Amino acid sequence: MGAVASSFALSSLPHFMQLSPQDIAQFRATGYLVIRSLFAGRQLADLIRWTDDVEGWPETPGKAMKYFERSRSDGARLLQRIENVYPYHEGFQGLCDGDLRGISTQLLGGEAVLFKEKINFKLPGGAGFEPHQDAQADWGKYSAFHLTAMVSVDPCTIENGCLEMVSGHHDRGLIGDLWAPLNAEQMQGMDFVAVPTAPGDAIFFDSYAPHRSAPNVTGKPRRVLYITYNRAADGDWREQYYADKRRSFPPDCEREPGKVYEYKV
């Protein structure tokens, strides 16, 4: 689904990290690419500091979107994720517009534009995510194909629910139903492989690549960034996406009392 255009010239991105032909071939074959230590030193320290900053933001209607869950251990209210960070944080703007976009442009085979961005916190007691393809969240109504960069802020281990990827099923298109986790029949032949990551590591993956993660059963958080792009040729959909999401699945501070909201995939 996400084949790289053969006419795309890597030399058109001299100011971004350049992927090798082997990197791009691996992404096309498996549906994902792991880049170790993409951020290190001062860049990594900034990334951790920015995440701490955003985590402390108050819940404010109409601004960044904070979502919560109940702890699996004691039922306490836990921060689950924050979306729509880009307009309100200069550091994350630079992050989304820098090497993550440059690498995504190379993997997409055409100029990348930001589609959505979030920080997943998965605090101690936080739940995992069932097997799914990102495309099952009906992203196809915006553009046909997306690419997500996951960046580890904290160590991601098997014990705290690191990302688990399936190789080689991304080219099957939409396998699952919209708004539902993959079921046993749809997952026949799939092998989910845990991909532990250190702070600063990144995983770039196809929106049709099946993946999942387990709950965090440790005493420390597992914070990661998910920065998603689509090809600029398919349009700039970010504002429309978040306008739609505020209507259908608003953050906690914007919800109507007594109304039930369900997160599906």
Side-chain angles (χ1 to χ4, degrees):
M1 296 299 296
V4 176
S6 59
S7 61
F8 181 68
L10 296 183
S11 59
S12 66
L13 292 171
H15 57 297
F16 290 132
M17 173 184 174
Q18 299 293 304
L19 298 179
S20 69
Q22 292 77 19
D23 290 331
I24 295 175
Q26 180 178 336
F27 174 77
R28 295 181 67 179
T30 65
Y32 67 96
L33 175 68
V34 180
I35 301 180
R36 301 292 181 186
S37 300
L38 179 60
F39 300 101
R42 176 62 182 274
Q43 286 184 314
L44 178 57
D46 285 343
L47 180 58
I48 294 170
R49 177 170 53 84
W50 297 339
T51 303
D52 291 340
D53 291 344
V54 171
E55 187 172 358
W57 283 355
E59 295 179 75
T60 306
K63 294 291 185 70
M65 303 161 74
K66 299 186 80 170
Y67 295 88
F68 296 80
E69 62 180 328
R70 292 294 175 183
S71 170
R72 298 172 69 252
S73 57
D74 59 11
R77 186 174 187 249
L78 299 178
L79 178 62
Q80 184 186 54
R81 67 188 188 279
I82 302 177
E83 301 203 29
N84 191 35
V85 173
Y86 183 90
Y88 311 108
H89 196 286
E90 185 176 352
F92 278 113
Q93 290 172 14
L95 180 79
C96 293
D97 293 338
D99 268 334
L100 295 181
R101 186 171 71 85
I103 293 169
S104 297
T105 289
Q106 295 170 68
L107 294 174
L108 286 169
E111 190 68 29
V113 64
L114 183 65
F115 176 62
K116 65 189 296 284
E117 76 287 342
K118 66 179 178 178
I119 306 171
N120 271 16
F121 287 87
K122 197 179 282 192
L123 301 176
F129 291 88
E130 295 185 88
H132 67 280
Q133 299 169 289
D134 284 345
Q136 290 179 259
D138 203 17
W139 291 358
K141 68 183 179 182
Y142 303 103
S143 56
F145 182 74
H146 299 82
L147 174 84
T148 293
M150 188 223 80
V151 181
S152 291
V153 178
D154 301 313
C156 295
T157 66
I158 292 174
E159 292 76 19
N160 68 17
C162 66
L163 201 62
E164 300 176 30
M165 299 297 306
V166 173
S167 174
H169 287 257
H170 59 293
D171 55 2
R172 294 171 54 191
L174 191 63
I175 300 168
D177 301 321
L178 293 179
W179 303 113
L182 294 169
N183 60 41
E185 181 179 356
Q186 293 162 345
M187 290 189 290
Q188 286 185 2
M190 292 187 186
D191 182 18
F192 285 86
V193 177
V195 187
T197 46
D201 290 350
I203 305 174
F204 292 79
F205 59 95
D206 186 314
S207 56
Y208 292 92
H211 57 284
R212 69 184 182 190
S213 68
N216 183 357
V217 297
T218 74
K220 295 182 179 180
R222 188 229 66 170
R223 301 174 300 174
V224 299
L225 310 180
Y226 284 101
I227 313 298
T228 301
Y229 302 88
N230 62 267
R231 296 183 182 99
D234 294 334
D236 184 345
W237 294 99
R238 187 186 173 283
E239 288 190 10
Q240 185 64 57
Y241 171 81
Y242 278 118
D244 292 345
K245 187 157 193 173
R246 281 192 190 278
R247 285 191 293 269
S248 64
F249 195 72
D252 292 33
C253 67
E254 298 179 21
R255 296 184 176 185
E256 298 178 23
K259 185 174 181 179
V260 176
Y261 298 89
E262 183 181 2
Y263 179 77
K264 298 176 181 177
V265 294

